[in-house]
């Protein structure tokens, strides 16, 4: 039921973004200059990589231009028979769309070099760039430990997954994993996307009490249908937070300990940030055992600033990349979970010393 | 007597019973939440002697403050289970305020501030304070739910019959409500 409500809610946000035009913006404009630390990293580690990257870009640009030329000149040899074939079928009363498949095939052939360049750009630069933010590792095709969080309620059931941009690391004793994730579930006739966005798994150095879920608000009726039998609703004091989220927990008091007034403000700020930066459409998080799972839904594509038509030496997009990386790697600090961990570790040590 | 008459008599009785059960269940939830505060306050009361022990050797100039905290802690321990809730809340608030002052005063003693055991004690204290705050918010939420149940018709009639009264909310002390005088901080 909650999957259906989630899909319904996402459709609503998508329509709103189409209506206000934000869905058509590829990237958010960033006026903030690069930080000194990032500039130094570019000078020392990034610039030496730019020459081979630029050579690769020129090669792929030439391939794309050549493919486009041939697609325009000789594409008709493929699409014209397909069109005639479809029209003949249409005349006999059947609907065939082979011309669309031919067009799609030609389009992929043309843009494939661009996709290769984007992938190569990420593979070369990202492992270097993430190091500016601390002890982080980047893997273009990696994925969070889905098996470890599969049993959590916020993780929807799915039959197919695709993932990219895996970043992992450690911040103040908290293990961090992030990846962009798309989860689909097969239906009778077609597949439904049950999640698209960023998934973050945090492994805390202490045990959380109870089981607390901060889910999206689906309205009174929707929340009633999505409610869990095991957890009770936690009514919180922040009206804006209550408007955007629905909280339930097995431990009312501990849920309020986790969701202090300041934490509620931080989660609201995080939600707002992703809505503004990545066409975000809401977030949910779950606290259980020693894990925190954050599922941030968004329609945008983070960490994808490479442009085949722009020289690799042109570093105009790096401020955006820096901000997106800072946004992802700064999640623990943004939510001040490092303080929470430090306090709880001190409590554990104090208890064992008694 | 027809089935309709029986139903007309039974339905209001069932509804009244459901409302009564809901009031009692909410009162129990509020009492449970209140005992949650007690647990956390006990943790704080147990922690205070450790902090005072670490602080006393460095903070000779804060003797009055340390004595005030010791006295308030003893009063809180005496008051638990005996004094009226409002009186006990006031004592706890005083103790919390004095502890806040102590932790601010620690800033003036760099040697104490850098002590590892003081840092740990401060972290533990901050965590206990967070738990107390959460327990109070939990109690206030449960208290509000109970208050609504006994003040909304027909709950007010049932409450009057059973002699139920609302439980007090935890509120900040008057001193915390006053605007902060930034000038006095800057001058000192």
């Amino acid at each position: 039921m909650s999957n259906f409500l989630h899909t319904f809610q996402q459709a609503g946000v998508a329509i709103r973004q189409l209506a206000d035009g934000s869905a058509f913006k590829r990237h958010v404009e960033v006026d903030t200059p690069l930080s000194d630390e990032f500039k130094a990293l570019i000078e020392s580690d990034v610039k030496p990589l730019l020459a081979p990257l630029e050579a690769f870009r020129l090669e792929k640009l030439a391939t794309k231009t050549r493919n486009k030329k041939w697609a325009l000149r000789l594409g008709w040899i493929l699409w014209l028979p397909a069109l005639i074939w479809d029209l003949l079928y249409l005349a006999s009363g059947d609907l065939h769309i082979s011309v669309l498949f031919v067009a799609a095939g030609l389009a992929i052939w043309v843009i494939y070099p661009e996709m290769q360049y984007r992938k190569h750009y990420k593979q070369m630069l990202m492992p270097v760039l993430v190091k500016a933010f601390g002890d982080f590792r980047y893997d273009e095709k990696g994925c969070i430990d889905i098996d470890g969080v599969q049993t959590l309620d916020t993780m929807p059931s799915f039959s197919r997954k695709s993932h990219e941009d895996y970043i992992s690391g450690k911040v103040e004793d908290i293990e961090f994993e992030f990846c962009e994730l798309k989860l689909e579930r097969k239906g009778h006739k077609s597949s439904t996307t049950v999640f698209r966005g960023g998934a973050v798994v945090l492994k805390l150095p202490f045990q959380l009490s109870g089981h607390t879920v901060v889910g999206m608000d689906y309205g009174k009726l929707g929340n009633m249908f999505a409610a869990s039998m095991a957890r009770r609703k936690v009514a919180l004091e922040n009206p804006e937070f209550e408007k955007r989220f629905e909280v339930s927990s097995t431990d009312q008091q501990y849920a309020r300990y986790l969701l202090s007034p300041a934490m509620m403000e931080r989660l609201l700020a995080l939600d707002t940030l992703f809505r503004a930066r990545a066409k975000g459409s809401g977030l949910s998080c779950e606290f259980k055992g020693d894990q925190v799972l954050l599922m941030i839904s968004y329609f945008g594509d983070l960490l994808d600033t490479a442009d085949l038509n722009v020289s690799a030496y042109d570093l105009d997009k790096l401020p955006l990349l820096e901000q997106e990386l800072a946004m992802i790697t700064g999640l623990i600090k943004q939510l001040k979970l490092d303080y929470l961990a430090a306090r709880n570790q001190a409590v554990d040590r104090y208890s064992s010393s008694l | 007597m027809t089935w309709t008459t029986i139903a007309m008599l039974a339905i209001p009785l069932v509804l009244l019973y459901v409302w009564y059960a809901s009031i009692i269940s909410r009162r129990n939830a509020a009492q449970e939440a209140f005992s949650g505060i007690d647990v956390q306050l006990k943790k704080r009361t147990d922690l205070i002697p450790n902090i005072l022990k670490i602080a006393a050797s460095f903070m000779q100039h804060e003797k009055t403050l340390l004595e005030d905290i010791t006295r308030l802690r003893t009063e809180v321990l005496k008051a638990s289970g005996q004094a009226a809730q409002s009186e006990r809340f006031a004592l706890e608030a005083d103790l919390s305020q004095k502890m806040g002052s102590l932790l601010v005063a620690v800033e003036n003693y760099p040697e104490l501030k850098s002590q590892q055991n003081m840092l740990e004690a401060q972290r533990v204290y901050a965590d206990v304070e967070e738990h107390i705050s959460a327990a109070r918010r939990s109690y206030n939420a449960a208290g509000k739910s109970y208050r609504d149940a006994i003040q909304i018709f027909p709950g007010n009639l049932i409450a009057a019959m059973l002699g139920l009264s609302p439980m007090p909310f935890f509120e900040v002390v008057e001193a915390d409500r006053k605007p902060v005088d930034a000038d006095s901080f800057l001058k000192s």
Side-chain angles (χ1 to χ4, degrees):
Chain A
M1 188 65 189
S2 58
N3 280 339
F4 167 74
L5 288 165
H6 180 78
T7 309
F8 199 68
Q9 186 262 358
Q10 295 290 295
V13 178
I15 291 166
R16 272 200 298 280
Q17 289 188 0
L18 283 168
D20 67 19
S22 56
F24 304 107
K25 285 181 192 160
R26 178 123 198 274
H27 289 302
V28 178
E29 292 303 320
V30 174
D31 299 329
T32 326
L34 285 170
S35 66
D36 291 341
E37 198 186 7
F38 212 69
K39 267 185 200 160
L41 182 92
I42 289 169
E43 287 296 329
S44 62
D45 293 10
V46 175
K47 283 201 171 160
L49 301 173
L50 295 180
L53 195 63
E54 178 64 4
F56 187 79
R57 184 189 76 85
L58 291 172
E59 183 196 323
K60 291 298 155 190
L61 185 63
T63 313
K64 188 189 170 187
T65 314
R66 195 184 60 231
N67 290 1
K68 195 175 168 185
K69 191 173 78 183
W70 285 110
L72 289 172
R73 283 188 188 169
L74 297 176
W76 62 271
I77 297 174
L78 291 169
W79 65 256
L80 195 61
L83 183 67
I84 293 165
W85 178 266
D86 286 351
L87 287 173
L88 285 172
Y89 264 97
L90 195 63
S92 64
D94 281 342
L95 182 67
H96 265 230
I97 50 168
S98 49
V99 69
L100 287 181
F101 286 104
V102 170
L106 284 170
I108 290 170
W109 184 57
V110 172
I111 62 164
Y112 187 65
E114 185 159 3
M115 287 157 70
Q116 282 179 306
Y117 173 66
R118 283 173 190 275
K119 193 178 168 185
H120 190 67
Y121 186 90
K122 275 186 183 177
Q123 279 172 341
M124 283 195 83
L125 290 193
M126 294 300 286
V128 179
L129 293 178
V130 290
K131 288 205 167 73
F133 298 91
D135 185 17
F136 291 105
R137 191 173 64 85
Y138 175 83
D139 179 358
E140 203 241 334
K141 280 286 158 214
C143 183
I144 56 164
D145 175 20
I146 290 228
D147 293 338
V149 289
Q150 186 75 76
T151 53
L152 296 185
D153 291 5
T154 317
M155 178 60 70
S157 56
F158 61 92
S159 44
R160 202 172 69 182
K161 69 174 196 276
S162 54
H163 43 83
E164 61 174 1
D165 295 334
Y166 172 77
I167 298 172
S168 63
K170 208 169 186 183
V171 178
E172 311 277 343
D173 293 337
I174 301 175
E175 284 172 36
F176 169 93
E177 278 188 304
F178 165 90
C179 79
E180 286 201 310
L181 195 60
K182 187 177 175 186
L183 302 175
E184 288 173 297
R185 197 167 50 209
K186 268 188 187 164
H188 292 297
K189 287 180 181 171
S190 60
S191 293
T192 315
T193 303
V194 286
F195 176 77
R196 191 192 158 177
V200 181
V201 180
L202 306 174
K203 201 153 192 188
L204 304 170
F206 64 95
Q207 284 290 321
L208 296 156
S209 171
H211 179 197
T212 302
V213 175
V214 181
M216 289 183 213
D217 191 288
Y218 300 125
K220 267 190 181 169
L221 199 65
N223 291 338
M224 210 169 77
F225 283 117
S228 148
M229 297 291 277
R231 298 184 304 271
R232 273 174 52 213
K233 177 185 160 65
V234 181
L236 295 163
E237 311 87 336
N238 187 325
E240 182 58 30
F241 190 85
E242 279 289 287
K243 208 168 111 186
R244 281 199 222 173
F245 302 107
E246 178 74 2
V247 182
S248 62
S249 178
T250 54
D251 187 336
Q252 292 278 312
Q253 189 185 307
Y254 198 80
R256 286 180 174 89
Y257 164 74
L258 290 172
L259 299 165
S260 64
M263 181 64 149
M264 284 191 269
E265 287 299 334
R266 283 176 219 132
L267 276 171
L268 278 172
L270 187 69
D271 186 35
T272 309
L273 184 71
F274 272 88
R275 279 176 196 271
R277 282 281 158 82
K279 300 170 199 163
S281 52
L283 68 87
S284 49
C285 57
E286 188 163 348
F287 302 83
K288 193 180 184 185
D290 62 350
Q291 283 184 317
V292 180
L293 172 67
L294 266 154
M295 300 289 277
I296 309 164
S297 302
Y298 51 80
F299 300 113
D301 197 3
L302 291 178
L303 311 176
D304 196 11
T305 53
D307 190 341
L308 189 63
N309 299 308
V310 177
S311 162
Y313 290 107
D314 184 346
L315 302 176
D316 277 1
K317 291 285 185 216
L318 281 188
L320 175 67
L321 202 56
E322 183 191 9
Q323 292 208 357
E324 288 180 350
L325 276 171
M327 186 166 79
I328 294 163
T329 53
L331 273 168
I332 291 171
K333 300 261 181 196
Q334 156 106 10
L335 296 176
K336 292 209 187 298
L337 290 171
D338 49 338
Y339 285 108
L340 184 77
R343 285 203 322 257
N344 277 274
Q345 283 177 299
V347 170
D348 288 347
R349 281 192 292 267
Y350 177 75
S351 306
S352 58
S353 72
L354 287 178
Chain B
M1 195 183 268
T2 61
W3 284 110
T4 320
T5 322
I6 293 169
M8 280 173 70
L9 284 171
I11 289 171
L13 280 175
V14 170
L15 286 176
L16 272 176
Y17 175 75
V18 170
W19 203 283
Y20 163 78
S22 154
I23 288 174
I24 299 302
S25 148
R26 290 179 195 207
R27 186 188 64 182
N28 291 344
Q31 282 172 345
E32 189 193 346
F34 187 76
S35 68
I37 304 176
D38 264 352
V39 172
Q40 299 306 328
L41 289 177
K42 176 81 174 54
K43 271 191 196 169
R44 183 174 70 180
T45 318
D46 291 345
L47 178 67
I48 287 171
N50 286 331
I51 297 180
L52 293 182
K53 208 165 114 185
I54 302 165
S57 51
F58 291 89
M59 300 173 85
Q60 287 87 0
H61 300 294
E62 315 287 344
K63 212 176 164 193
T64 323
L65 180 61
L66 297 175
E67 281 170 2
D68 279 352
I69 293 171
T70 313
R71 178 183 52 78
L72 272 169
R73 181 182 173 268
T74 316
E75 282 176 29
V76 164
L77 283 173
K78 272 187 201 160
S80 47
Q82 292 170 18
Q85 282 174 13
S86 53
E87 193 186 322
R88 211 188 119 200
F89 288 174
L91 279 170
E92 290 283 2
D94 273 355
L95 181 60
S96 180
Q97 207 189 350
K98 293 280 180 202
M99 280 304 291
S101 305
L102 176 78
L103 296 177
V104 170
V106 168
E107 298 293 316
N108 298 326
Y109 298 85
E111 220 177 315
L112 171 61
K113 209 177 124 186
S114 58
Q115 285 279 313
Q116 189 56 35
N117 51 358
M118 189 63 195
L119 280 172
E120 287 281 281
Q122 278 179 308
R123 277 184 188 148
V124 176
Y125 185 81
D127 196 66
V128 172
E129 280 290 339
E130 285 288 331
H131 275 291
I132 292 172
S133 166
R136 283 174 179 166
R137 287 164 59 218
S138 188
Y139 164 72
N140 276 353
K144 184 194 170 288
S145 166
Y146 170 57
R147 200 175 271 239
D148 288 348
I150 63 170
Q151 287 180 342
I152 296 169
F153 179 81
N156 54 349
L157 298 179
I158 300 169
M161 277 192 290
L162 298 172
L164 299 173
S165 55
M167 294 171 85
F169 282 131
F170 248 113
E171 287 174 357
V172 292
V173 287
E174 207 49 47
D176 290 345
R177 282 210 181 99
K178 285 179 189 161
V180 178
D181 183 6
D183 275 353
S184 65
F185 273 103
L186 293 172
K187 279 172 196 163
S188 61

